[in-house]
Amino acid sequence: MRSSNPVFSRRGFSRDNGYAGFNTAAQAGYAQGNPYAQNPYAQNPYAQQGVQYGAPPQAPATTDRMTMDDVVMRSALTLGTVAVGAVLAWVLLPVSATSYGLAFGAAIIAMVLGLVQSFKRTPSPALILGYAAFEGVFLGVISEMYNSRWSGAPFQAVLGTLAVAGATLLVYKAGWIRVTARYARIGMAIAIAFVLVMAVNLLLVAFGVAENGGLRSMGPLGAIVGIIAIVLGAFFLTLDFKQIEDGIAYGAPRNESWLAAFGLTVNLVWIYVEMLRLVAIFSNND
């Protein structure tokens, strides 16, 4: 079952302890330098002339700067596209081998569009909304599949996703989590290790070495792996929140809000898919 994040490695960390902004370098490596990082020795390209990183931000010279309203609107549009695609797929594609094939195809297209956007230096609303639409089709089919076996599982997964996102935002705003370069480097190392282990597990399952899904089984081990994946999703949300906060504070261009929406959508989809599996596992044990 697909649960990989197409912009999983889009964040990077420079040697001067700055961390990358919304510009991405997915899977080809990590970006060196961050246009939003609070580095007292670097000039912010989006701030007014003379303003240094770490200094109190001044009002931007123009109004064409990213605001929280921009991020909220773009995120609502992107997540709304995912929801519409999911509802249409649920209604129009009954559970069958054909719908599974269509879901797999939609997932591949969504992943490709996500990776293309991740490599681009500028946001493309068409790519982002295209990713959201195809991801929605994939989610609609697998949600219906889970619901046919574990009634109510998608609804519970949605509630769980909202709970994780809300709790993550709460602890971030309360200052219980400080997103520093060290925090992010450790989290990225764990995340990369997790993906590599899952890739090896997939190969072992494909060649019949590991049975019943291996680490991704529907038993206690699978539940532990699912919880780890959800925690990693929450980790990536904290990076998103920090990038959005810094982008707004230092006057990032308004179109960067599309990348903020993209990152939030990818991570929420990640968490939802893992939450769906987790609900199914716990339902099996009832």
Side-chain angles (χ1 to χ4, degrees), residues 118-142:
S118 298
F119 280 108
K120 285 176 62 67
R121 296 182 62 84
T122 56
S124 170
L127 282 175
I128 293 170
L129 292 177
Y131 158 81
F134 283 102
E135 195 71 68
V137 172
F138 167 73
L139 293 180
V141 172
I142 67 163

Side-chain angles (χ1 to χ4, degrees), residues 147-170:
N147 190 66
S148 65
R149 183 169 179 182
W150 299 281
S151 180
F155 179 70
Q156 295 177 61
V158 168
L159 292 181
T161 301
L162 293 176
V164 170
T168 304
L169 179 59
L170 176 63

Side-chain angles (χ1 to χ4, degrees), residues 172-240:
Y172 174 81
K173 296 301 290 183
W176 299 344
I177 292 177
R178 294 184 64 249
V179 178
T180 63
R182 183 171 182 271
Y183 163 88
R185 279 196 297 267
I186 293 173
M188 283 300 303
I190 295 172
I192 292 170
F194 178 84
V195 169
L196 291 176
V197 170
M198 291 302 100
V200 171
N201 180 73
L202 181 62
L203 290 175
L204 294 177
V205 172
F207 287 100
V209 177
E211 298 180 350
N212 301 320
L215 295 176
R216 303 294 275 169
S217 68
M218 297 299 288
L221 182 58
I224 293 172
V225 172
I227 292 171
I228 293 172
I230 291 170
V231 170
L232 287 174
F235 158 75
F236 278 108
L237 283 179
T238 63
L239 298 191
D240 287 333

